[in-house]
Amino acid sequence: MPVIKSQPTPSQSICVGGTTIAPLTVKYTGGAGNVSFQWYSNTKNTTTGGTPIPNATSVSYIPPAFATPGTYYFYAEITFAGSGCGSVVSDTARINVVADPVITAPPLSTQTLCQNVVPADLTVTASGGIGVYSYQWYSNAVNNNTSGTKIANATDSVFTPTTSKPVTTYYYCVISQPQGPGCSVTST
């Protein structure tokens, strides 16, 4: 009789917009005849009553990016064509989706200074998401937080800009969480 030899990862946590670190995978031993796979999604931690996922018919399944926080469950059913082999069902795999981190204290919005005057530090604070925060500051000649240049070694929540040139410079910080796939937020 067929049995499940390797279950899908039992639990993963990610942020909205993220995908799982690794595919959900199931392995079996035994059975006979042609083998077919079908993955199911469920709103409950059970292997019955789930909804078949279209085209999720292989040994592994990668859920698409999640748009809504919540807890999602998946499981696989493996069916064997051999006489009397029937089917086996995997354990559930739980995906916990949380909201992205948010910036609770943005950096100081504007400073007007003379050249070579020491500016106030730019500080950013975030909350939420999953795990430890990682910081990267960027500088930009235009007022947006998408096309800036990464500042070398500016990887703390506090950054001190330079004022060695008489120009207007914009700064922003990208905060990410390596332990949480898809967990990031950008300051303004």
Side-chain angles (χ1 to χ4, degrees):
M1 292 298 292
V3 294
I4 301 291
K5 183 173 70 173
S6 177
Q7 300 285 353
T9 303
S11 180
Q12 298 184 58
S13 292
I14 63 176
C15 281
V16 167
T19 57
T20 57
I21 296 171
L24 303 177
T25 301
V26 65
K27 296 179 182 179
Y28 68 93
T29 185
N34 292 331
V35 180
S36 61
F37 297 85
Q38 178 61 61
W39 287 88
Y40 293 79
S41 63
N42 210 340
T43 57
K44 299 178 181 178
N45 188 15
T46 179
T47 57
T48 59
T51 301
I53 302 169
N55 303 314
T57 55
S58 67
V59 66
S60 295
Y61 172 65
I62 302 175
F66 293 87
T68 306
T71 302
Y72 301 82
Y73 299 94
F74 301 91
Y75 63 92
E77 181 179 34
I78 308 171
T79 303
F80 302 83
S83 177
C85 291
S87 62
V88 290
V89 177
S90 74
D91 294 343
T92 56
R94 182 183 69 203
I95 309 295
N96 185 40
V97 182
V98 303
D100 284 316
V102 296
I103 291 178
T104 54
L108 187 63
S109 60
T110 302
Q111 298 182 63
T112 303
L113 305 165
C114 287
Q115 187 176 1
N116 295 319
V117 172
V118 178
D121 289 339
L122 302 180
T123 302
V124 65
T125 304
S127 65
I130 301 167
V132 177
Y133 300 109
S134 175
Y135 304 88
Q136 178 61 60
W137 288 89
Y138 292 78
S139 63
N140 207 341
V142 295
N143 188 12
N144 72 48
N145 63 355
T146 57
S147 63
T149 301
K150 185 184 293 187
I151 302 170
N153 302 315
T155 55
D156 198 354
S157 61
V158 179
F159 170 68
T160 305
T162 62
T163 57
S164 58
K165 296 178 181 179
V167 295
T168 298
T169 304
Y170 301 91
Y171 297 93
Y172 63 92
C173 185
V174 175
I175 304 172
S176 58
Q177 294 172 294
Q179 300 89 350
C183 298
S184 66
V185 62
T186 301
S187 73
T188 54

